[in-house]
Each structure stands twice: as C-alpha cells, then as structure tokens.
Amino acid sequence: MDVTATTVIGILIYLAAAPVVGGLLTGADRIVSARMQGRYGPPLLQPFYDVLKLWQKENIVVNRQQKVYILGFFVFVIITGCIMFGGGDLLLAVFALTLASVFLIVAAYSTFSPYAHIGAEREMIQMVSYEPMVILTVVGMYMATGSFSAADIARHDGMLFLHLPFIFLGFLFILTIKFRKSPFDISMSHHAHQEIVRGLTTEFSGRDLALIEIAHWYENVFLLGLIYLFFAPVPVVAVAVTLAAYFLEVFIDNNNARLKWQHALGSSWAVTLVLGVSNVVLLAFR
Amino acid sequence: MQALLLFLILFPAAVAFLLLATPKGRARQTVVSVSAAVIAAASIILAALVLSRGAPVYFAVGGHAADLLIFAAEVALGVIVTVISIRRKQYLAMALMLAGLIMTVVYEVWLANTVHAESNLFADNLSVVMTLIIGVIGSLIAFFALGYMEEYHHHHEDVPDRSNFFFFIVFAFLGAMNGLIFANNLVWLFFFWEVTTFCSFFLIGYGRDALAVRNSFLALKLNLCGGLAFSAALFFLTLNAHAISLSELHDLPGGAVLLPVALLAFAGLTKSAQMPFSSWLLGAMVAPTPVSALLHSSTMVKAGVYLVIRLSPVFAYVDGGKTVGLFVALVGAVTFLLTSCMAISQNDAKRVLAYSTIANLGLIIVCAGIGNHKLAWAAVMLVIFHAIAKSLLFLSVGTAEHLIGSRQIESMDGLAGYLPRVAAGMVVGIAGMFLAPFGMLISKWATLEGLVDANPILTIFVAFGSAVTLMFWVKWLGKILIVKSAPENVETRVPRTQSLTLAVLSVMTAGVCVLFPLISKYVLEPFIFETYRQIYWQDMNNIATLLIMMATVVVLTVPLVFPGKQERHFRPQYLAGANLAEKEKFHGAMGQDIQISLKSLYLQGIFGESRLFPLGVLSTLILIIIMLGVVV
C-alpha cells in the first residue's frame, strides 16, 4: 500500500475510533476509580451519556468569543492526532498540541473570570512543566531511529524502549499532568473533592464543555499512541503496556491529593533533567 | 548592479544630511516618506538582480582613495565620541575609544598596505535577505517615526526636540547597515560596524536625561569592547594569514584563522547583546520606541548575528573550528534559556520584548555556531521572521503606550476591545513569535531537527527554553484577548503613519509565514548550496501540514472578527454568587463593591532577574574565556 493511502486510512481510523476508545477508557477509569474507593461506579458508557446530555443543554456564555477559542482547541487537538496517526512529523504534532492548549488558555482568559483566570495560569505552568520532557521524548525517538516521522518510528526494527528506558519513565511522569490526574490536576480536576470551583473550565457549559471532553478523549488516545510507539515492534506488548500505563495513571490519581504548582513544576523539571537529559546524553555518546 | 549597491549605502547617508537641515512638518514628512520608499524599492530591485544571477557577485569598487576616506571618517567619528565621553566624564568609554583609535591608526600606518582585498564589496543571497530587512523594515520604522516623534514630544515636554538629529541618525544607521552587509573587505566592514555602534549610542541617548546618558554609554562601552576585539582580529588576520576578505576566511588554514575568527565571534556576541553583554540592549529601551524597533529588528543586533552567520562555514570546515563554534553556540544556548526564563518575570512590555530578542538571537547564534547546512537555513529563517514580527510588536506597544499611557502588560487587559487594530498587530506579532504553525516556530522546528543531528546536548537548552517561552507569550496574549463589557474604542487617535505601518507589518508577518516555502526555495536554498555544497530540502508533507494549520487558524479568526447572530444566553462570570447588577463587580466580604481585577503570575522567586542574570553572566563569561583560551 502506498504512503498516501496508509496516511488517509490512519487519519480516518483515528477520527472515527479515537473518541470511542477515549470514551470507553474514561468509562473504565471511572469504574476502576469507584472500585478503588469502595463504590460500585457508573456504567461503562456513562461518559457518552454525559457528553450527550451536555450537548442538549442551553447555550450559556460569558462572551461571544469563547466558543471560537474552544472550537480552536478541539480542532487542533484532532489535527495533532491526525499528524501522528497519519505518520507525520512528531515534533510538528507536539507543536500542534501546544497551539491547541494555547487556544484553551485564551478561551479561559477571555471570560475575565477570576476562577478561570487562575485555572488558565496554572494550565500555563503545567505546560512549562511537561513541554521539555515531551520535546526530549521526541528528540530521543529521533536519536534512536533517525527519523521524526511517526510512520518511520513505528516501522523501526528495534524496540524503542530498549534505547529510551529513562525517557519512557520520564514521559510516564509527565503523562500524569497531561491526563489531568492527581497530584498534578492543578488547572482543573475531574474530582469534585479537589476544588470548590472548577478552574480553567469554570465559565464553559453545554456544548463547549462537551467539546472539551471529546477533545480530551482524542488527546488521551494521541498520548497513548506515543506510549505505543515505544513498544511498536511487538503489538501485543505495546497494547498491554499502553493499557497498563493508563491504569497506572488511574491508580496514581486515586492515591494522591493535589500538589501545589511549585511542586508540579519543580518535580517535572527535575525528572526531565535526570531521566530525559541522561537518556539523551547516553544516546549521544553511544 | 554596482551602482545600485553603492546607492544603497550612500543614498541613506545623503538623505541623513538633508534631514539635518529639513524643518519638521510637511517638508520632513515628504523627505522621509519619499526616501524610505526609494530605499525600499532599491533594495527590492537589488534583491531581484542578485537572485536572478544565482551566484554571489563581487565588486572591485574603491581603491586607495576610498580606503583613506574611510580611515579619515573613522578617525573623525572616534574623536567626536572621545570628546563627548570626556564632556560627560565617562572616562572608561573615553579610554576604550582611544584604544580603538590608536589601533585603527597603527593598523593603517603599519599594515594596511600589506594586504589587499580582491573586491571590497559583494552581494549574495544572505546580503539580499539583510538588505531587504534593512531597506523595507528599517524604512517602515523611519516612516512610523514621523508621527510617533511628534507625539513623543507632546508626551515628553521635558525632552528637548532634537528630532532633526534623530532622523539624521536613523538614516545614517540604515546606510551603515547596508555598508556592513555588502562589505567583503573586513576593514570596510569594521568601519561600518563602528558606525552602527555610534548610531545606537546617539539614539539611545536621545532623551539626554541621566538614565538615557548612562544607558547610552553602557551600550557604547560594551560595543567598543566588541570593536576592540574586531580590531585585534584585523591585526591577527593580516599578520598570520595575509588575508582581509570575508569571503576567503573559510579557505584559510586553521592555525592562522581561528584566533581572528574567535575575536570576530566575540565582537558578534557583543553586538547581538548575548550574555554577558545583554545589559546594553535592555538599557536601550529608554529611547523612543522606533529606536527599539530599529535596534531589535533591522539594525544593530542583526549586524551581530549576521557576522556570526558569515563565520559559520569557518566553524564547520576549518580545522579546529568546531571547538570554537561549539563554545559560541553554548553562549547562545545559555543566553536563550536564561533570558527566556527572565522574560517571564517582567511586566514591562518593552522589557519582555527585549529579553525575547536576546533569546532569539541566542538561538540564531546556536545555529550559526554549529554551522551545518540545516542550521544555517534555520538561522537565516530566524533572522527573517524575527525582524518582521519584532518590529511589529515594538511599534504596536509604542502606539498603545501613547494611547493608554502605559506599557505595562498588566494594563493591557482587554486591549482587543478598545484598540482592536493595535491589538490585532500585537496578536499577529506574538503568534508569529512562538506559535505553531507561524514564523519563528517553523525555524525553531528546523533548529531542533538540525541540532539533534549535530549536537543533541544543545537540544536540551532548546527544549527548556521553548517551554518557558510559551509562558511569557501566552500570558501576554491572554491579557490582550480578555473580553470586557462595552469598552470605548479609542483607536481614532492613532496617527495615520503609525496605523499604516502596523497594517503593513502585520500583513508582512502573515505573508512570510505563508510564503516561507518559496523564500526557502528561491533565496535560502541557493545560498545554503553555495556555501555548504549540500542541499537543504524541506519535506513537502510537513509544509502541506503547516499550510493546512495556517488555513485552519485563519478560518477560526473569521467568526472572531465577524460575529454572526446566534442564539445565546449571556451570563456574567461566576463571582462566588456575589455578583452585583453592574457588570464585572461583586459584593465583597467587608460589604463594599469591588471591581474585578486580575493580575498575572511573574514567578519572581523562580525566574527573577536577580537570581538568573548573575548566573548567566558568570557562565557565559567562563564559556567565552575558554573559547578564547582554546585558540590562543
């Protein structure tokens, strides 16, 4: 099959399957979390019911611009995934994801709401925290395979994990921030017990909130796709590790309270410096 | 073509003298507008001619008389600056200037006749890029200054109106910059180099108050240090290598050329305000805003990085050059990281811009220091994108400052509501500075890809630096785009010259983003091939993805600018249930009515100047000492 066809098929599968997979994972997350807390938990399809419900809600906004910014967030999260699943340049995918986050932050800023403002600033700090590790992850993948293209990396013969064990661990660490899990869910949390008002998304409701939730599913699948790439030559192992990573994050989520932003920034930079940098240096002097 | 080249150097200088005698008002407006247009047109024509040739063109113009004339002018300017230094009791500046003068005279008497440059002037695709930046953006800034300087003197009645002198220097500056980028004879290049130092000295000191005088002398002193290094480089080059042309540097043996090249790189680092010399550029913002725009985008600091880019083939190909280049790159990398961090802690918009300039120049220095073909591509692209976006940002901030009476980012809440066009200029500039898929990010991406191959350790600096860059831009962007209730539009008070310049620069910022594949193909790639004998080839799929992303952003801005009529329910923001009927106010705990006000994070404790600046100065000083030690 030629490259264009695989690209198109990859993108189409991502567009169609990612929200389903992401939603189901979220449903499983809620069941597992409930069991860890001694509850029974909602049905597996509850996230879809929630989004459907949000979609039918009244259209309430603070200003007319916020919807456009949220749409920008949604579209660019999807473009990010399309770049990766279409076999494109991973650095470009990372930059597209950054653009998406900037849209979300600007949406929160635009509302001129104190709670959203605090959430937006914390979201920025989260970005500063995870971005170096994400870039070094992609850099490490290039150093191991000689290519930035997701297609080439996926087709690479050796298992990436063997070259990038520390980078893999570092990436797992910042994944907690990206998944918005405790202890690093500082800009907004899925858990009611973490905060009184919901940070970044305080002023968003109805369809906007539904879009943010669906974008979150797309984003999660993109991030899990990066995990998959570390073990790509053996698909069974790759899928197993990907799922294990997801449930590790759920486990961490349920065993931690939220930390201050100083800790999020300090610990992620420390982890990046120790694990990310040492792995890059090892590869450089190989 | 030779005539056009000389025209681009001499015409701005001639206009400068004309402007000294032109009264302000209509007459000055005509002279400045017409000559700005002429300079821009001439640089575009020259660009077209050189590009159609497809190879560097050398000109044997000049001769003994020209050399003597340049020598005389250099001595005269040196004497003037020495006298000013004595009058202002700046004895260190005086000493540095005198030392420079003595070296110049000694060189002229002792060595000048022992070497000859085959051709004194030349033009290739890199000169074309630079002359377009100088001719188009520099001229636009001069045009912008017409309206701005009149307003400036309304706002600063204590500052004596010396705007004739101001425009004199601005045009002299443009001429000197053109001389600098077309010079192949390093003695000529050095002359123009010193002239740009003097020009920036006079412009920074324009206000003549204590701070302006102090900062102008700081700039003078640091740049004179660079000048001394340059001068020393001329001596060593003549004595050890019997060469004086820029174009033959990378063909010389390593033993003879490394020391002069390290000294030239040192000069480049001072002029491009890299750490530990950054303080002069930060101090330069006391000058009127067009000066900052000029220094940061099209002149001065760009001369510094231009020289280092010219040296990059030496770093790449000459024996032992890699080590020198690595230390140059490390200075740039440390500067990029630390100044990006410090920008987070700043509230003054011009200071944020200054730090961001230094950071981006650092990135250019990193690219030029390593100097492979990919990174050279990235360096030139960075120069182009940065020049346009940064001038736009400075001029937008200057315009906003006159209207809202402040250049603090904290006072720009909701700027998009009451100054929509100025804010649009800022948003375009900011997006062009850091956001995918625009301008600087394209080159930052190329930088990362190039560095991974050449020296992966340096990517670590870029990874951290890029992350902090995000923060200071996004919090500024967010401030501008806050939506407040029914603000009054005060934009009608913007002078025409200013709004026109902002519009043109915004269009250019967007234009180079869309057209970058063409710029790369027709301007950069021939230059890269000429210099490195390697083809730099951009992946078409990535370009297509970038263009799709740009189109998406454009589509998204449509509903922002032209809102449709949709059924929505507007509600005030959540204020813990204590909202008042009046918008954006709430009932406080002590029973009083409080207006919402939101302040940003500056993280002084982590990214404060007092913590990071000394660290940067110390580490870069060590790096520079090692760099010079290696070659000695």
Side-chain angles (χ1 to χ4, degrees):
Chain A
M1 217 167 12
D2 71 329
V3 182
T4 344
T6 39
T7 304
V8 171
I9 290 172
I11 290 174
L12 287 178
I13 291 178
Y14 173 73
L15 286 176
V20 179
V21 175
L24 287 175
L25 280 173
T26 310
D29 171 358
R30 288 173 67 173
I31 294 175
V32 173
S33 294
R35 298 294 157 83
M36 286 181 193
Q37 294 161 9
R39 293 184 287 118
Y40 185 75
L44 184 66
L45 296 181
Q46 189 61 42
F48 298 101
Y49 303 146
D50 291 349
V51 164
L52 206 63
K53 180 88 179 173
L54 284 170
W55 200 260
Q56 292 158 346
K57 291 270 184 187
E58 202 184 354
N59 200 356
I60 295 176
V61 291
V62 179
N63 60 53
R64 60 179 173 76
Q65 286 89 338
Q66 67 185 59
K67 284 180 115 43
V68 185
Y69 297 131
I70 290 170
L71 189 63
F73 168 64
F74 179 72
V75 170
F76 275 99
V77 166
I78 291 178
I79 288 181
T80 305
C82 288
I83 294 174
M84 183 169 96
F85 286 91
D89 190 303
L90 279 184
L91 267 182
L92 190 56
V94 169
F95 295 143
L97 191 60
T98 307
L99 175 61
S101 309
V102 171
F103 267 110
L104 186 62
I105 291 171
V106 168
Y109 258 101
S110 78
T111 60
F112 198 47
S113 152
Y115 296 96
H117 185 89
I118 291 176
E121 298 212 300
R122 290 181 171 186
E123 181 73 12
M124 275 191 292
I125 289 175
Q126 289 187 1
M127 284 173 79
V128 176
S129 309
Y130 65 67
E131 196 79 10
M133 191 62 228
V134 174
I135 292 178
L136 287 186
T137 303
V138 179
V139 163
M141 287 183 170
Y142 176 89
M143 292 172 77
T145 65
S147 172
F148 281 108
S149 132
D152 294 346
I153 294 173
R155 276 196 293 266
H156 188 70
D157 286 336
M159 194 183 271
L160 234 53
F161 174 73
L162 300 176
H163 301 286
L164 310 169
F166 303 124
I167 282 185
F168 177 75
L169 291 177
F171 187 72
L172 269 189
F173 187 88
I174 58 103
L175 208 55
T176 317
I177 307 178
K178 291 259 32 160
F179 277 158
R180 305 189 180 287
K181 297 290 188 197
S182 285
F184 298 137
D185 51 350
I186 55 177
S187 74
M188 62 185 201
S189 174
H190 278 105
H191 302 303
H193 64 260
Q194 294 277 32
E195 53 193 341
I196 309 167
V197 181
R198 203 171 178 259
L200 192 68
T201 54
T202 303
E203 303 297 342
F204 308 146
S205 60
R207 286 186 187 182
D208 295 342
L209 212 48
L211 274 187
I212 291 176
E213 190 58 30
I214 300 172
H216 191 54
W217 297 344
Y218 271 110
E219 191 182 357
N220 285 357
V221 171
F222 164 76
L223 294 164
L224 293 174
L226 278 178
I227 294 272
Y228 182 96
L229 282 182
F230 281 95
F231 301 90
V234 195
V236 183
V237 176
V239 172
V241 173
T242 307
L243 288 176
Y246 189 77
F247 288 100
L248 174 71
E249 297 297 343
V250 173
F251 182 76
I252 294 172
D253 187 36
N254 281 291
N255 286 290
N256 284 283
R258 182 194 264 183
L259 284 173
K260 286 182 178 176
W261 64 259
Q262 286 91 336
H263 294 126
L265 182 60
S267 60
S268 359
W269 275 33
V271 164
T272 309
L273 276 174
V274 175
L275 296 176
V277 170
S278 62
N279 209 150
V280 167
V281 172
L282 279 176
L283 285 172
F285 289 105
R286 191 176 43 174
Chain B
M1 208 187 292
Q2 180 176 320
L4 197 56
L5 210 83
L6 288 172
F7 177 80
L8 274 168
I9 303 171
L10 298 176
F11 177 71
V15 174
F17 283 102
L18 179 63
L19 281 166
L20 212 46
T22 310
K24 74 172 172 185
R26 185 53 61 81
R28 179 194 287 163
Q29 272 176 15
T30 318
V31 174
V32 170
S33 318
V34 171
S35 39
V38 168
I39 295 170
S43 53
I44 292 169
I45 295 171
L46 182 78
L49 287 176
V50 175
L51 288 180
S52 61
R53 275 285 297 264
V57 208
Y58 292 87
F59 306 97
V61 60
H64 194 60
D67 288 344
L68 273 182
L69 195 68
I70 282 182
F71 171 68
E74 201 167 340
V75 171
L77 285 170
V79 170
I80 293 173
V81 173
T82 314
V83 170
I84 296 175
S85 306
I86 295 171
R87 282 235 305 259
R88 294 278 176 184
K89 299 192 171 58
Q90 293 279 349
Y91 298 114
L92 181 59
M94 180 205 73
L96 288 168
M97 191 67 249
L98 278 179
L101 265 178
I102 291 166
M103 285 174 82
T104 308
V105 173
V106 170
Y107 184 86
E108 181 67 25
V109 175
W110 178 32
L111 292 173
N113 290 322
T114 63
V115 281
H116 277 286
E118 288 281 307
S119 40
N120 286 319
L121 297 178
F122 82 120
D124 66 354
N125 287 11
L126 179 58
S127 333
V128 161
V129 168
M130 296 300 294
T131 194
L132 284 176
I133 289 173
I134 298 159
V136 178
I137 299 172
S139 306
L140 269 173
I141 295 170
F143 179 67
F144 175 94
L146 277 175
Y148 186 92
M149 288 313 288
E150 281 188 24
E151 284 210 336
Y152 177 84
H153 285 290
H154 281 297
H155 286 267
H156 301 83
E157 287 184 345
D158 48 324
V159 176
D161 189 341
R162 297 188 294 142
S163 48
N164 275 23
F165 182 68
F166 179 87
F167 282 97
F168 166 74
I169 295 287
V170 167
F171 275 86
F173 213 150
L174 296 183
M177 278 302 292
N178 272 329
L180 197 152
I181 55 158
F182 291 132
N184 184 37
N185 182 342
L186 283 167
V187 177
W188 286 33
L189 206 161
F190 177 61
F191 166 70
F192 293 117
W193 185 268
E194 293 291 84
V195 174
T196 60
T197 297
F198 302 146
C199 286
S200 58
F201 164 66
F202 287 121
L203 286 177
I204 297 167
Y206 181 73
R208 280 202 171 160
D209 52 295
L211 189 65
V213 170
R214 207 184 67 201
N215 290 347
S216 63
F217 275 100
L218 178 66
L220 182 67
K221 281 181 278 193
L222 286 172
N223 280 302
L224 283 179
C225 290
L228 287 178
F230 202 128
S231 207
L234 294 181
F235 275 91
F236 287 117
L237 203 59
T238 313
L239 287 171
N240 298 348
H242 295 288
I244 203 66
S245 301
L246 193 58
S247 55
E248 56 189 359
L249 284 183
H250 59 272
D251 293 329
L252 297 172
V257 80
L258 280 186
L259 178 59
V261 162
L263 289 167
L264 288 177
F266 178 91
L269 292 175
T270 56
K271 189 142 283 202
S272 55
Q274 295 300 289
M275 288 195 132
F277 315 108
S278 308
S279 46
W280 77 261
L281 193 62
L282 295 167
M285 39 171 232
V286 296
T289 300
V291 175
S292 308
L294 209 56
L295 293 180
H296 285 253
S297 71
S298 51
T299 62
M300 201 59 186
V301 296
K302 287 292 178 335
V305 291
Y306 164 80
L307 184 63
V308 183
I309 294 175
R310 283 283 182 215
L311 299 177
S312 70
V314 182
F315 300 141
Y317 294 132
V318 173
D319 269 345
K322 280 207 161 58
T323 323
V324 181
L326 178 65
F327 281 99
V328 173
L330 279 171
V331 171
V334 171
T335 306
F336 172 63
L337 177 58
L338 290 181
T339 47
S340 299
C341 288
M342 283 185 276
I344 290 182
S345 68
Q346 301 305 311
N347 175 21
D348 183 330
K350 271 174 95 173
R351 212 168 165 83
V352 171
L353 292 181
Y355 272 122
S356 132
T357 297
I358 301 169
N360 284 305
L361 297 172
L363 206 55
I364 298 171
I365 300 278
V366 173
C367 294
I370 300 297
N372 65 29
H373 64 293
K374 244 186 204 177
L375 290 169
W377 185 92
V380 183
M381 268 297 175
L382 280 166
V383 170
I384 299 174
F385 289 129
H386 181 259
I388 304 174
K390 203 38 93 42
S391 52
L392 172 61
L393 278 169
F394 265 109
L395 299 182
S396 310
V397 168
T399 307
E401 184 185 0
H402 276 175
L403 291 166
I404 63 177
S406 163
R407 58 175 197 234
Q408 308 291 312
I409 292 173
E410 286 299 337
S411 52
M412 292 186 186
D413 280 13
L415 199 73
Y418 59 94
L419 282 177
R421 290 197 196 135
V422 180
M426 277 189 208
V427 171
V428 170
I430 291 177
M433 285 303 295
F434 85 102
L435 215 51
F438 307 109
M440 296 295 282
L441 196 109
I442 298 170
S443 26
K444 208 173 268 182
W445 176 25
T447 309
L448 263 174
E449 300 210 348
L451 281 178
V452 186
D453 282 328
N455 190 337
I457 312 297
L458 288 170
T459 59
I460 295 160
F461 290 90
V462 180
F464 279 92
S466 302
V468 287
T469 306
L470 278 176
M471 180 155 179
F472 68 83
W473 287 125
V474 177
K475 67 182 185 177
W476 187 355
L477 188 68
K479 278 278 182 195
I480 298 171
L481 294 175
I482 285 178
V483 180
K484 286 190 173 182
S485 57
E488 191 193 345
N489 189 324
V490 292
E491 201 148 60
T492 45
R493 292 193 278 125
V494 179
R496 281 257 301 286
T497 54
Q498 297 189 19
S499 48
L500 189 62
T501 316
L502 293 184
V504 171
L505 282 171
S506 304
V507 172
M508 281 170 64
T509 308
V512 289
C513 293
V514 180
L515 296 179
F516 96 92
L518 297 179
I519 299 175
S520 167
K521 188 166 173 12
Y522 294 107
V523 186
L524 266 66
E525 283 166 31
F527 164 70
I528 300 297
F529 186 73
E530 183 70 37
T531 320
Y532 296 91
R533 298 287 152 198
Q534 261 171 314
I535 298 169
Y536 181 59
W537 173 78
Q538 280 268 304
D539 185 18
M540 281 316 289
N541 285 329
N542 288 338
I543 292 177
T545 316
L546 278 173
L547 292 177
I548 290 171
M549 286 168 70
M550 285 177 203
T552 314
V553 176
V554 171
V555 170
L556 281 169
T557 52
V558 172
L560 281 180
V561 184
F562 308 103
K565 281 198 176 147
Q566 282 174 317
E567 201 170 314
R568 280 175 203 160
H569 299 275
F570 288 96
R571 294 275 185 285
Q573 50 276 82
Y574 177 75
L575 296 171
N579 295 56
L580 291 171
E582 206 179 336
K583 278 183 179 165
E584 290 158 12
K585 281 192 173 179
F586 63 99
H587 198 68
M590 303 300 285
Q592 73 282 51
D593 296 348
I594 301 174
Q595 175 83 37
I596 311 177
S597 73
L598 303 174
K599 297 275 179 270
S600 287
L601 285 173
Y602 289 93
L603 312 188
Q604 283 289 350
I606 304 173
F607 298 123
E609 280 177 323
S610 53
R611 271 172 70 104
L612 298 184
F613 211 95
L615 178 70
V617 169
L618 189 70
S619 48
T620 48
L621 260 182
I622 293 172
L623 287 170
I624 287 176
I625 290 169
I626 298 176
M627 173 185 86
L628 293 175
V630 167
V631 287
V632 175

